[in-house]
Amino acid sequence: MKALFIIALAIALSLPATANAQPQRTLLRPAAVFDGTDPAPHPGWQVLVEGERIAAVGPNLSVPAGTQTIDLPGQTLMPGMIEGHGHLFLHPYNETPWDDQVLHEPLAVRTIRAAKAAEITLKAGFTTTRDLGTEGAGYADVGLKKAIDSGLTPGPRLLVATRAIVAQGAYGPKGFEPGVIVPQGAEEASGVERIVRAVRGQIAAGADVVKLYADYHYRPGEPSLPTFSQAELDAATAAAHDAGRTVAVHAVTAEGMRRAIAAGVDTIEHGDEGTPAVFKAMAARHIAFCPTLAASEAISRYRGWTDPEHPPAAVAESRTAFRAAMAAGVPICMGGDVGVFAHGDNASEMRAMAAAGMAPTQVLIAATSGNAAAFHLTDRGAVRTGLLADLIAVEGDPTRDLTALTRIRLVMKGGAVVR
């Protein structure tokens, strides 16, 4: 009885401390706040963080006793940025060609490298990443997401697409004896029944977003051509939406884009051959566009491009499509296809967008509240009471000079300072 009494007393004494424990409070005092929606920064604003959420925003906040204060002189506080198109399981193609990464790099090595890339991405100010396919690494992104969420390894909040889905025979690697089974960079499907099965299988495995390829080149040297039929895209999109998942579509050709638009997808990636009419249709359906300008530029540099005043045809084409999308009023997603180029340099896509004619404030909105809206993330993307305290501070004013994004001075994820 005495032992039971001691145990009961110990439990009773522990309960009030747990019940009355107060979440950590932190007051952030920057020179200004860019809230993710208003183009103009707010000088003199402060942000009070309580636990993992933003508790208050504005000037001269009332601060509870015991609140930690972090002064950020000369710095702009803003929402953590959202990478809209990444591949954590890839690394730059000038280090190792894509085929060799898919065919020859061990899965364990790719996963460890992806974990390192995730940490680098977070410390670069990107607190959320939409990772659009493991490119031959199976469902390892689901495991990486769990490892990050459990605190096992640092990284951004992940939206994962697992294997992605391509038409039979339309992806790679290629160039082997016909009939030889070669590991592919995505899951192949053919026909309505099989593509729906692939969608549901990937969702069951942990996919947050379904990635489809509406076009691709069947053989090396051939142009991109539509792959999935309208019926296949319609069925895949409906199956994903029924399960509450968004749909991202790789589409370079105008016809591939038209089919994706008709299917009602959520975002279209690349869109190099998009026409004004195609972008007008996207705007009417509120489908967001991820132009991936930085990837096009990186690949051209790997092939020898050195003169920024004379871009190669591929770069010029992607910039023209981007301008046409802006002119049509298409919601713009900020996503650079990072992995083609170095993780941590995600903001190079933002600089490319500005160089192609988008105002810096609109670029910042695209990378924060714009991506949050496109991906249906209602708990982040802005500095607003009640949202997740995913926040960064940069030296200078990024609304005037995007190079400020290379001067990250603070990164906070869910109220915890990670840099």
Side-chain angles (χ1 to χ4, degrees), residues 32-52:
V33 171
F34 168 72
D35 67 9
T37 58
D38 189 338
H42 303 280
W45 273 24
Q46 303 169 347
V47 175
L48 178 64
V49 173
E50 186 172 310
E52 66 172 9

Side-chain angles (χ1 to χ4, degrees), residues 98-99 102-103 166-177 180 182-185 188 216-222:
W98 182 86
D99 277 22
V102 174
L103 291 173
V166 295
Q168 190 78 30
Y171 206 49
K174 293 184 181 296
F176 298 85
E177 174 67 21
V180 173
V182 179
Q184 292 291 291
E188 294 184 307
Y216 212 72
H217 40 84
Y218 280 92
R219 296 177 184 173
E222 288 187 349

Side-chain angles (χ1 to χ4, degrees), residues 75-97:
Q75 297 174 42
T76 300
L77 188 73
M78 58 180 282
M81 293 178 287
I82 300 172
E83 171 57 61
H85 188 134
H87 294 282
L88 290 169
F89 286 82
L90 292 177
H91 57 107
Y93 296 174
N94 63 334
E95 296 175 358
T96 306

Side-chain angles (χ1 to χ4, degrees), residues 306-329:
T306 58
D307 184 0
E309 299 300 320
H310 298 89
V315 171
E317 184 179 50
S318 62
R319 290 175 180 175
T320 297
F322 176 59
R323 295 185 185 111
M326 286 194 294

Side-chain angles (χ1 to χ4, degrees), residues 27 42 68 79 102 109 191 231 244 259 363 366 368 375:
L27 180 68
H42 303 280
Q68 176 191 14
V102 174
V109 172
R259 294 182 190 183
V363 173
T368 53
F375 308 154

Side-chain angles (χ1 to χ4, degrees), residues 96-187:
T96 306
W98 182 86
D99 277 22
D100 288 345
Q101 293 186 47
V102 174
L103 291 173
H104 302 303
E105 291 186 345
L107 179 58
V109 172
R110 296 190 71 186
T111 303
I112 292 169
R113 184 183 285 115
K116 294 291 186 181
E119 181 177 5
I120 291 168
T121 300
L122 177 62
K123 290 183 176 179
F126 291 81
T127 52
T128 296
T129 289
R130 188 175 67 148
D131 198 71
L132 290 183
T134 60
E135 304 293 338
Y139 300 105
D141 54 350
V142 177
L144 178 59
K145 177 181 177 178
K146 290 180 179 178
I148 292 171
D149 290 346
S150 69
L152 184 62
T153 188
R157 305 177 193 275
L158 294 186
L159 303 172
V160 298
T162 70
R163 299 171 65 191
I165 301 171
V166 295
Q168 190 78 30
Y171 206 49
K174 293 184 181 296
F176 298 85
E177 174 67 21
V180 173
I181 297 175
V182 179
Q184 292 291 291
E187 181 176 0

